[in-house]
Amino acid sequence: MEITVSHYIVLSAILFAIGVYGVMTRRNILVVLMCLELMLNACNLAFIAFSKLHGGMAGHVFILMTITVAAAEVAVGLAFVVAIYKQRQSLDIDLLKILKG
Amino acid sequence: MDLSTVFQSTSLIVPEIVLMLFGMVILILSPIVKNQKNDYFLYVGIAGVVLSFVLNLGRFNSEAIAFSGTLRIDNFSAYFNSLFLFSSLVTVLIAKDYLKKNTPYINEFYALILFCTSGMMILASSVEFMTLFVGFEIMSIAVYILSGFDNTSTKSTESGIKYLVLGGFSSGILLYGIALLYGATGSLYFTEIISNFSASPMYIAGISLVLAGFVFKIGAVPLHQWVPDIYQGAPLPVTGYMSVAVKAAAFAVLLRIVLDLAILPSGYLLIAVQVVAVLTMVIGNIAAIYQSSVKRMLAYSSVAHAGYILVGVAALIADRSVGGQGILYYLFAYTFMNLGAFAILAYLSREDRDCDTFDHIAGIWKRKPMTAVALGVFMFSLAGIPPTIGFFSKYRIFLSAVESGQSFIAVIGIVASVVSAYYYLKVLVYAFMKQDEYGFGSHKPVSSVAITVLAIATVFFGIIPAFSWELAVEASKNLLAIVY
């Protein structure tokens, strides 16, 4: 079977869905951050596939931007993880409920 | 693209570059300077914002395209940039008093505000998705850090990580939407996306995901649950900044996208915006009534105000000749009144605790009568009672809904804003009629100047709106005149 562009699109959609599911259900902040990365990387895969389809470079360049942004986001996220772990000795999302009305 | 084009494009974004350079100077020099007691970097930050503001004034009444058509600099972006720069200036001034003793990293705070504002300015000028995404993330990541800025407070870090996870989630959705639009049309430019339009499922899914990403950022129902948590946990000046500037930036892009890309199926789009606007107004206002924390109350009130602005968006979709001015003017008005409300909360906060519950504002009238009067001005304005700017802007928004033939939505909006008067006036009941039990923070000279300016502007533009209204009309003309 030949692998075509549409296979990559389906794969990226599946990866994106796994990422969304993970962000919604996982209880550990680190795993949630990993699932966010998965979402962004699914987008990267889609960009590459579409770039191949249309034959332009815009998709390739966009990925460089996305990778940078994802790295910055995770750097900030890990800083928060450290601050939260220092305060509570736990990374369980269910403990983040001080703020409520 | 030769070198002179690059220079020419670069010269067009000097206000953004100035902000970034000043931010970097603060970041690089602040660890070197030994004497942390002095406010050198506050002055550097203020100088950066003011310089950028002055340079931005030169953008009014000019039109230019920079960086091979990715940035469009016109009245529209100049108008929004002035709002962002003004609100960042006020935020820096309030933060100076508020953060002084709480945190050792105050210089980084100024730098982050400058970076965040430059991201917003790029966002307001962008007409291409790559630029849009980069501007969006420069803004977002800086705001994540700002909302979790006080790392000694469990509330602040909790607010920071929640905002990061949910904001990252929304930017993932936005990015996937952009990828689908790119797949459907083969371009990232708004112009080319619209000229390659086809009613394919991929295009519609893409535009829906992009809109969902922005609905999250403006905090409209159904993606509004993050707003109260994050507004309550973030440091007060940051909350004011988020509620005003981040929301205005998201609306700026939303307007461009709604007007340019979401042409079809516009019948569905109109219904969707109407439903979201009504739900946002109703749920925001009802939830605000039940809050015991003033911060959360103002957070839900900012959800409700997003709903009023969405009424204007619905009017704009139905009839392009009305609506735009109202939205732009509303964001202008909202900048003054909401920043003012949060500035007063920051002003009343003590070092050991924020001004949070209604009891904390009880009895201001006896202790600080001028602050109480200013609070009254802002609450009246938020509730839309004349002669304040809030009344005029709400009048314009609902008038545009009526003019575009959607009177029912205007009626719902008016009823909702009557309901909102209940919780705004409740603040004043506590401020003027109750006895003070807790005591307030010490006098903060810089904040009080900022509050005075905001309060005077709120009343002044309410009585004489002509000048500011003209600006909004000009800027919206520019938005509509773009022919792709």
Side-chain angles (χ1 to χ4, degrees):
Chain A
M1 189 183 77
E2 197 194 343
I3 307 263
T4 60
V5 168
S6 52
H7 289 94
Y8 286 104
I9 308 297
V10 172
L11 176 63
S12 93
I14 293 170
L15 282 178
F16 189 78
I18 294 173
V20 170
Y21 178 78
V23 172
M24 286 177 170
T25 55
R26 286 315 187 106
R27 301 265 66 99
N28 186 305
I29 300 173
L30 274 177
V31 183
V32 170
L33 287 178
M34 284 151 78
C35 292
L36 280 180
E37 284 298 289
L38 193 60
M39 283 171 69
L40 292 177
N41 283 321
C43 300
N44 285 349
L45 190 60
F47 270 116
I48 280 286
F50 285 131
S51 210
K52 171 86 179 159
L53 181 72
H54 294 296
M57 289 304 289
H60 295 262
V61 181
F62 208 126
I63 287 172
L64 294 177
M65 305 289 171
T66 318
I67 291 172
T68 320
V69 162
E73 207 164 86
V74 156
V76 175
L78 290 178
F80 277 130
V81 164
V82 171
I84 285 176
Y85 191 78
K86 273 187 188 161
Q87 284 167 358
R88 312 176 195 227
Q89 278 74 46
S90 160
L91 289 179
D92 192 343
I93 267 185
D94 291 329
L95 294 178
L96 296 176
K97 54 184 181 191
I98 300 176
L99 302 168
K100 61 180 177 193
Chain B
M1 189 159 147
D2 56 77
L3 208 56
S4 65
T5 336
V6 176
F7 283 134
Q8 208 230 333
S9 292
T10 312
S11 70
L12 287 168
I13 58 161
V14 167
E16 283 88 350
I17 293 176
V18 163
L19 274 189
M20 289 195 183
L21 280 181
F22 275 75
M24 286 174 199
V25 164
I26 295 175
L27 274 192
I28 293 168
L29 291 186
S30 66
I32 302 172
V33 173
K34 286 283 188 302
N35 188 355
Q36 295 287 347
K37 289 280 188 299
N38 283 320
D39 300 320
Y40 302 128
F41 295 105
L42 171 72
Y43 302 128
V44 176
I46 291 175
V49 175
V50 170
L51 183 57
S52 182
F53 190 88
V54 171
L55 290 169
N56 180 59
L57 290 180
R59 287 176 167 179
F60 280 103
N61 297 324
S62 73
E63 266 187 57
I65 283 177
F67 294 105
S68 21
T70 56
L71 287 175
R72 192 186 171 86
I73 290 142
D74 51 17
N75 268 343
F76 179 78
S77 51
Y79 181 86
F80 272 101
N81 290 346
S82 321
L83 290 190
F84 305 148
L85 288 165
F86 178 77
S87 45
S88 60
L89 179 63
V90 175
T91 309
V92 166
L93 292 179
I94 303 165
K96 189 248 167 200
D97 288 335
Y98 176 84
L99 289 175
K100 188 123 202 181
K101 285 134 198 156
N102 281 347
T103 164
Y105 305 113
I106 183 136
N107 298 330
E108 280 79 353
F109 185 94
Y110 303 139
L112 283 168
I113 290 272
L114 297 194
F115 290 145
C116 186
T117 311
S118 66
M120 288 169 186
M121 290 166 73
I122 293 170
L123 199 55
S125 329
S126 62
V127 288
E128 189 251 8
F129 271 120
M130 207 186 303
T131 330
L132 184 152
F133 185 71
V134 172
F136 188 80
E137 289 296 327
I138 293 174
M139 171 186 91
S140 302
I141 292 176
V143 173
Y144 303 152
I145 308 173
L146 285 172
S147 65
F149 196 77
D150 185 3
N151 63 0
T152 54
S153 139
T154 49
K155 279 185 179 177
S156 185
T157 48
E158 178 175 330
S159 148
I161 191 77
K162 275 184 177 170
Y163 200 13
L164 179 110
V165 169
L166 296 172
F169 187 72
S170 85
S171 46
I173 287 175
L174 172 74
L175 192 61
Y176 206 75
I178 297 173
L180 290 181
L181 280 178
Y182 177 61
T185 61
S187 174
L188 291 167
Y189 287 92
F190 292 179
T191 34
E192 290 174 27
I193 289 177
I194 198 69
S195 57
N196 292 329
F197 170 79
S198 62
S200 62
M202 204 191 269
Y203 190 99
I204 291 166
I207 198 76
S208 314
L209 288 178
V210 169
L211 289 179
F214 283 103
V215 165
F216 174 88
K217 266 284 180 276
I218 62 175
V221 175
L223 303 174
H224 70 290
Q225 287 95 340
W226 62 275
V227 175
D229 276 11
I230 283 144
Y231 281 22
Q232 190 188 8
L236 272 164
V238 178
T239 314
Y241 183 66
M242 276 198 290
S243 69
V244 168
V246 175
K247 185 171 287 196
F251 264 110
V253 188
L254 193 69
L255 284 181
R256 284 207 201 258
I257 290 178
V258 162
L259 278 176
D260 300 335
L261 301 180
I263 49 165
L264 247 162
S266 59
Y268 294 112
L269 182 71
L270 180 59
I271 294 169
V273 173
Q274 283 172 341
V275 169
V276 170
V278 168
L279 283 177
T280 308
M281 288 187 296
V282 170
I283 292 177
N285 277 317
I286 290 177
I289 291 174
Y290 294 103
Q291 302 306 316
S292 56
S293 148
V294 182
K295 275 185 186 173
R296 283 184 89 85
M297 189 278 281
L298 282 173
Y300 277 111
S301 113
S302 103
V303 171
H305 281 275
Y308 302 139
I309 302 170
L310 282 170
V311 171
V313 176
L316 188 65
I317 293 170
D319 181 352
R320 287 192 165 214
S321 58
V322 298
Q325 311 90 318
I327 298 167
L328 263 55
Y329 193 73
Y330 203 98
L331 288 166
F332 175 83
Y334 191 64
T335 303
F336 290 102
M337 53 199 191
N338 215 40
L339 259 183
F342 280 108
I344 287 189
L345 291 190
Y347 179 77
L348 295 175
S349 294
R350 293 195 315 211
E351 256 176 73
D352 53 336
R353 61 138 180 81
D354 270 1
C355 178
D356 196 0
T357 66
F358 279 96
D359 289 333
H360 290 159
I361 52 170
I364 319 174
W365 173 240
K366 296 258 170 57
R367 296 288 195 81
K368 297 174 188 289
M370 289 315 285
T371 316
V373 170
L375 186 65
V377 167
F378 296 132
M379 289 300 146
F380 270 47
S381 184
L382 284 167
I385 299 168
T388 53
I389 195 169
F391 167 75
F392 185 72
S393 53
K394 241 177 212 163
Y395 164 72
R396 280 293 171 177
I397 283 271
F398 294 140
L399 185 68
S400 69
V402 173
E403 280 173 349
S404 67
Q406 305 174 71
S407 309
F408 70 99
I409 208 172
V411 171
I412 296 173
I414 291 164
V415 171
S417 61
V418 169
V419 171
S420 77
Y422 168 77
Y423 56 82
Y424 291 128
L425 296 183
K426 187 171 153 194
V427 171
L428 296 185
V429 168
Y430 274 85
F432 282 87
M433 297 177 188
K434 302 257 173 174
Q435 288 300 316
D436 117 71
E437 295 165 28
Y438 291 88
F440 308 111
S442 52
H443 181 63
K444 302 185 176 75
V446 183
S447 301
S448 57
V449 172
I451 292 169
T452 315
V453 170
L454 290 168
I456 290 172
T458 305
V459 178
F460 175 79
F461 288 124
I463 298 169
I464 310 166
F467 166 69
S468 46
W469 173 248
E470 280 306 312
L471 277 180
V473 171
E474 285 303 312
S476 72
K477 262 185 208 156
N478 221 300
L479 175 69
L480 294 165
I482 301 166
V483 181
Y484 287 115

